[in-house]
Amino acid sequence: MPRFDQGVIRELHSRIDIATFIGQYVSLKKRGRDLVGLCPFHGEKTPSFHVHAEEGYFKCFGCGAGGDVIAFLQKLENVPFPDAVRMLASKAGVELEAEDPRTARVRNEREAIYEANDLAAKYFSRMLNSPAGEAARAYLDGRGITEATRERFMLGYAPAGWNGLTDELQRHGVDLEIAAKAGLVKSGQRGFYDFYRDRLMIPTYATTGEAIAFGGRALGAEEPKYLNTSTTPVYTKGNHLYALNLARRAAQHDRTLIVVEGYLDCIALHQAGFENAVAALGTSFTEKQASELRKYSDYIFLCFDADAAGDAAATKAIDIASNVIEHTGSSVRVVVLPKGEDPDSFVRSRGADGFRALLEAAKPSIEYKLDPQIDRLNTGFDAPSAIARKAEALIRELTPREEWDRWRVYVAGRLKVNVDDLRNSRFLANSANFAPHSTQQAASRYAKARIEPLSFEREVLSIVLEDPSLVREYGGRIAPGRFRHEVYRRIYSRIVEQADWMRGPADVFVAFNDDDEAHALLSTLGQRDRSSAVLYGDADERRAHLDRVVERLEREDEEARLGELSRSIDELFAAGSAVPEELRTEFKELAAKLKLKK
């Protein structure tokens, strides 16, 4: 993730009032020192969304969302941290970073390509509505795509001539070498000419709003059916998803996305009300696309054409989705279309209700992968013991370990065998399982009990969240190593490391924008009304409590040292050796000191 200068982040915080910014999206009312309203991230009737304007962060007591203004925009727009920073910087007029000449050249080239693509998208849209676009409009009419949908997706038409777009770009001063790098024009013996000719044009946009690529769809039977932008400085095939810029907003409420193969399948679903649909941009589903989906959704429907190619694409897509998404806790389901149908044709003939029924009947990806294998076992001639053994092997190969028992029940039911036959098949087939196991091995299977953070750890973090400048004073006296809870220790260590630039709670949240676990914990610590952490009224109270923590830790160190001295003296006595005078003196002085402290 790109790193931004912390001075720039502070400048953003100083220029953007969090209450005013959030107030554009949430109706806020004053309650005490806070502003409260209905949370935009989950449905609620009683306000539980609090904005702490003075400290620069928000917290929802209902869904747990919290953070600074950057975190709010991240969650609202479903964008990663760098994109949220750039969007806010654009609003606030803040320059993000000083660039060296090489970086500036790369950025300027990308910006020039974005500009060329934007001009091209507007030109194609204008041509669709011109006399030249009559055939393209008739094609869209035949597919039931309305004028509102055409405008929403910026659909267009590339005229049949050789230089319509080329002339348009030149009129606006676009360097045709840049246009060629964008994939809009090509260079020939007589100069540059249009790459797209007599095609329906479908632009693809980045989640931050820039046009990055185009798909040109033939209006008749000519081949290839689609001409797509290849790799450019702003676009890499297989890294992006069509319509994700629109679908991410729809996905923020239920964290669900629908993945289809084609542009027009996706557009048809949006028009039917399924605004959380995206398309794989004319390529096989990739791990990069799966990672993009994971940013915006926890529940993913894969919906591919019901033909042989579609089945192969679905199988590969499911494997990728399972590896990248499902093993991180998300869920993947497969929508099974009737033979000969694609999402576009199905939703046009059966309507939104018909497609909604398909979503409800969608199979979990594991079930989709298991069913053909179960059918093969059912039609074979293996003995029941062999079937059980092969079925168990399938379960272990295709399902997560923690779900083996659940899928054993499903598979045994389909095969009409006893579930215990599956469970025991590998055990009984392996004679090593009958050898005795050591008690040490058996004990290692039990996880260690989770250690809850000590109260002083929580209190210290709560204090430095309110006033991180105190870490510069106390970081050396309360060392990170004194924190036993790993997460608390990690958070405190980073605050100590970055204390020089931190001024308030918002700065602390910024330091953890790449750490969801820490971000959530800090949001909880910052709660005014319901936190179990103690909140202090002023700096003197905070210092007084930190002084008490320092005293407590010093006492623990002294008690530990006294114990060491006592053991050393006992060992010397037991060995018949003389106890050095300095050891006796240190023991007596330390014992007397601790007695006085009682």
Side-chain angles (χ1 to χ4, degrees):
M1 184 180 73
R3 295 280 183 182
F4 296 103
D5 182 78
Q6 295 302 331
V8 170
I9 301 298
R10 286 199 301 275
E11 182 70 13
L12 276 180
H13 285 146
S14 68
R15 292 199 190 187
I16 298 175
D17 177 70
I18 189 170
T20 303
F21 184 82
I22 292 178
Q24 299 174 66
Y25 307 94
V26 180
S27 179
L28 298 172
K29 294 182 179 180
K30 187 78 171 173
R31 184 186 294 172
R33 292 176 61 191
D34 297 347
L35 295 166
V36 299
L38 297 175
C39 180
F41 307 126
H42 79 288
E44 63 176 11
K45 295 181 179 179
T46 303
S48 60
F49 182 86
H50 289 233
V51 177
H52 308 298
E54 293 179 13
E55 291 82 0
Y57 71 96
F58 72 94
K59 173 66 184 177
C60 176
F61 293 99
C63 67
D68 65 346
V69 67
I70 301 171
F72 179 83
L73 187 61
Q74 276 185 264
K75 192 165 181 63
L76 183 76
E77 293 289 345
N78 243 348
V79 295
F81 176 75
D83 289 347
V85 171
R86 292 188 183 99
M87 292 163 76
L88 286 172
S90 177
K91 289 177 182 290
V94 174
E95 177 142 359
L96 283 181
E97 53 191 74
E99 299 172 310
D100 61 38
R102 184 184 305 173
T103 304
R105 281 196 298 274
V106 172
R107 181 182 62 78
N108 290 337
E109 181 181 78
R110 290 171 63 89
E111 293 299 329
I113 289 175
Y114 289 143
E115 181 184 1
N117 283 342
D118 183 60
L119 286 168
K122 291 175 180 175
Y123 169 76
F124 293 141
S125 177
R126 195 166 70 247
M127 289 300 101
L128 178 64
N129 295 307
S130 73
E134 183 179 357
R137 293 196 301 274
Y139 175 83
L140 292 173
D141 289 339
R143 299 196 69 142
I145 297 176
T146 66
E147 188 171 342
T149 300
R150 298 171 201 182
E151 292 177 1
R152 186 171 190 234
F153 286 89
M154 277 293 285
L155 301 184
Y157 171 68
W162 290 81
N163 57 0
L165 177 60
T166 303
D167 292 346
E168 174 78 0
L169 295 173
Q170 285 186 306
R171 278 195 295 274
H172 286 83
V174 174
D175 183 346
L176 293 183
E177 291 286 354
I178 288 291
K181 286 187 176 182
L184 297 171
V185 302
K186 291 182 74 74
S187 178
Q189 291 182 345
R190 299 182 181 180
F192 291 98
Y193 62 92
D194 293 358
F195 178 66
Y196 297 103
R197 300 182 302 280
D198 192 27
R199 286 181 176 266
L200 175 70
M201 297 303 297
I202 307 169
T204 294
Y205 290 86
T207 54
T208 45
E210 301 90 356
I212 56 175
F214 292 89
R217 210 270 186 211
L219 298 175
E222 60 266 34
E223 293 293 335
K225 182 189 292 186
Y226 279 98
L227 278 178
N228 296 313
T229 299
S230 55
T231 298
T232 74
V234 302
Y235 173 76
T236 301
K237 183 179 178 181
N239 284 10
H240 304 273
L241 289 141
Y242 177 67
L244 185 57
N245 60 309
L246 302 174
R248 63 185 172 84
R249 292 296 298 272
Q252 72 180 17
H253 298 295
D254 60 6
R255 299 283 296 173
T256 300
L257 286 171
I258 303 168
V259 183
V260 297
E261 289 180 88
Y263 301 98
L264 293 175
D265 289 328
C266 180
I267 292 170
L269 288 181
H270 274 255
Q271 185 170 283
F274 301 95
E275 296 184 353
N276 58 338
V278 298
L281 284 169
T283 183
S284 298
F285 194 71
T286 67
E287 291 189 11
K288 285 279 190 180
Q289 289 173 326
S291 297
E292 277 296 292
L293 289 173
R294 183 67 185 90
K295 295 176 185 176
Y296 305 105
S297 61
D298 297 317
Y299 309 99
I300 295 164
F301 289 97
L302 298 176
C303 183
F304 296 98
D305 297 359
D307 55 26
D311 288 346
T315 300
K316 181 177 180 181
I318 292 162
D319 287 339
I320 293 171
S322 296
N323 291 335
V324 178
I325 300 169
E326 202 154 58
H327 288 173
T328 65
S330 296
S331 174
V332 178
R333 286 181 172 264
V334 181
V335 179
V336 181
L337 288 160
K339 290 296 180 184
E341 295 272 22
D342 58 35
D344 175 26
S345 65
F346 185 89
V347 79
R348 280 193 286 143
S349 63
R350 313 283 183 90
D353 288 341
F355 190 77
R356 196 169 291 110
L358 283 184
L359 294 179
E360 291 172 358
K363 293 183 177 183
S365 63
I366 293 174
E367 184 177 324
Y368 183 88
K369 290 186 288 185
L370 280 173
D371 281 351
Q373 307 292 338
I374 294 171
D375 291 340
R376 276 193 281 275
L377 287 175
N378 263 330
T379 56
F381 295 94
D382 288 327
S385 59
I387 291 174
R389 189 167 60 252
K390 290 179 179 180
E392 178 68 9
L394 280 176
I395 290 165
R396 290 169 178 256
E397 177 187 353
L398 299 178
T399 71
R401 185 185 187 94
E402 62 273 14
E403 295 185 18
W404 281 355
D405 272 341
R406 171 193 167 193
W407 289 106
R408 283 186 185 115
V409 173
Y410 174 76
V411 172
R414 288 284 316 276
L415 291 172
K416 295 181 174 57
V417 298
N418 191 307
V419 67
D420 287 333
D421 292 343
L422 273 66
R423 188 178 290 110
N424 297 330
S425 61
R426 287 171 63 92
F427 182 83
L428 294 173
N430 186 354
S431 59
N433 288 317
F434 295 95
H437 295 287
S438 72
T439 56
Q440 183 177 355
Q441 288 174 320
S444 67
R445 294 185 302 176
Y446 293 95
K448 291 181 179 178
R450 181 170 178 171
I451 301 173
E452 290 301 321
L454 298 175
S455 61
F456 96 83
E457 299 178 11
R458 188 174 177 84
E459 291 165 359
V460 169
L461 274 189
S462 181
I463 289 171
V464 299
L465 172 61
E466 288 188 68
D467 187 357
S469 65
L470 288 172
V471 174
R472 294 194 288 275
E473 184 177 341
Y474 287 89
R477 300 168 68 190
I478 304 174
R482 302 306 296 260
F483 285 64
R484 299 182 191 176
H485 190 277
E486 188 273 329
V487 178
Y488 282 59
R489 182 171 62 252
R490 185 174 78 244
I491 294 173
Y492 184 69
S493 294
R494 188 179 296 187
I495 295 174
V496 170
E497 291 167 4
Q498 302 186 24
D500 288 343
W501 62 266
M502 291 182 178
R503 300 293 182 272
D507 292 333
V508 179
F509 280 107
V510 167
F512 292 92
N513 269 304
D514 60 347
D515 188 334
D516 291 342
E517 185 177 27
H519 213 270
L521 191 148
L522 287 168
S523 295
T524 301
L525 288 177
Q527 294 174 9
R528 289 189 178 280
D529 302 325
R530 307 182 191 185
S531 173
S532 60
V534 180
L535 297 176
Y536 297 89
D538 56 32
D540 289 340
E541 289 184 22
R542 288 191 281 269
R543 281 193 174 87
H545 188 80
L546 291 177
D547 286 337
R548 287 194 292 273
V549 171
V550 170
E551 289 175 8
R552 170 183 167 181
L553 295 177
E554 288 176 349
R555 181 180 178 84
E556 287 180 359
D557 290 341
E558 290 167 346
E559 288 174 344
R561 177 58 181 164
L562 186 67
E564 291 176 8
L565 292 170
S566 178
R567 286 190 294 274
S568 297
I569 291 172
D570 288 345
E571 289 170 1
L572 289 170
F573 273 126
S577 303
V579 178
E581 185 60 33
E582 61 269 19
L583 209 61
R584 289 177 181 270
T585 301
E586 184 182 359
F587 179 83
K588 289 179 181 178
E589 290 177 351
L590 196 51
K593 182 179 179 181
L594 288 172
K595 186 175 182 180
L596 287 173
K597 286 185 177 181
K598 286 185 178 180

